[in-house]
Amino acid sequence: MANTDKETAEVLCTHFQNVFVNETAVKDISHDAEVKESVNWSVQFDESIVLEKLQKLKPDKSQGPDEIHPMVLLRTVVVVAKPLSILFKASYCQGILPVDWKRANISPIFKKGSKSDVNNYRPVSLTSVPCKIMESIIRDEMVIHIESNSLITKHQHWFMNGRSYLTNLLETFESWTRILDAGFRIDVIYLDYRKAFDTVPHSRLLTKLQSCGISEQVLKWIQAFLTGRTMRVLVNGNSSSWVDVVSGVPQGSVLGPLLFLLFVNDLPDWVKSSIKMFADDTKLWATIRNVSDGEMLQEDLNSLKNWSDRWLLKFNPEKCKVMHMGHSIPTEYTLQENGISVKLEVVDYEKDLGIYVTNDMKVARQCKQAAQKAVNVLRTIKRHFPKIDEPVFLILYKSYVRPHLEYCIQAWSPHFKKDIDCLEQVQRRATKLVNGLRNLRYEDRLRRLELTTLGKRRSRGDLIETFKIITDREKVDKHDRVLQKQ
């Protein structure tokens, strides 16, 4: 138990530190994929590039341990652009970072569950803003190299242009629907890592970066960026002691997401079943015709366990879930942990990238959850705004209510009348909050507010998404799709 904020900070800091992985020698670790030839492309830190990055800073973001606030940089861009460009060049050429750049103030972000359980908090790093600017410049060059060489697996939908939550769900649901329509069954396994971002081993990560053809100078700088880091936890202005960070990529840094993406990039190469990834959210599935198909899926799980042991990124069997779609064939799946086979829990529904997916592929649960979230926001608005005029209502409704009803709606758009009405009823209720409109018919309220029904918005959204897919603005696998045939 912690009685003060400082004690709480110390407890959280100790927990976050215990998660780190102590990496063994990696001389016997090699990357299986084809190694890209290292090209000595260099990163430019011209004053104009730094100036452009400075002008894009958001003044409402937090400062790092160096106490240089982005507002200060934003208001002095002309003055600091040149000295920062000189500093960036020196850091890049020498492969050395200032000590303040490798420190992080940790903000513990509550996820879900009991707030008294340290396992329910995620450490988000507040790092130096000048360092983030340099990271951003290096990240841009790395992305150009990665995209020009098509290094990222097509199964990954995170952090890449033209890919998103929606494209992940669209491809997944398309595949599942085709299998079920053909009369087959599906077993889906939702995988969960154990503290994924905090346990990435640095030496193994650098091995994978080298295999991707990252230039030696960039690799040297990233190695300096990852090693020798320290952190402390802040709780209500009270800080813990400084501790060493021996593994992981900083959550809250600019380079962190890209480094993690490259670390797990070869995961699909280890399985034969279908797989989709969004950062550390990974799902694996196979068509089930008989028990032997389930055995093949289990072999993929065993293969992933071998990948996990090799690269020291552990799965959490207690949080991995199995969902049987369209059948009751007695298939069971296990994951090894510390030499013990842990049976994976079977569920009827699972939250997949914010969308509730059920074993019957119906959207009733998702509609109810989306409507409930929107109604909760409406109640909050009603408590704080006793009287709402039309302009204020439109700002509040479009910003805080309607997004809950339309999140990734192109992937789960309702078809049954009861589900359609479930969503539309929220907008009906919302429009009654506007002064002078309560006694009007729903259609008249919409006309006054210049709104349309949610059904019409869904149709418009479907057309927009179809256009994006046809014109390759979104990188969706169009193999065997009706759109491709047309």
Side-chain angles (χ1 to χ4, degrees), residues 1-11 235-236 238:
M1 296 296 294
N3 297 316
T4 65
D5 289 335
K6 185 171 181 61
E7 290 181 4
T8 302
E10 291 289 354
V11 170
V235 177
N236 296 327
N238 294 274

Side-chain angles (χ1 to χ4, degrees), residues 211-222:
S211 71
C212 293
I214 302 300
S215 71
E216 293 182 6
Q217 194 62 41
V218 173
L219 204 61
K220 180 180 178 182
W221 190 90
I222 292 177

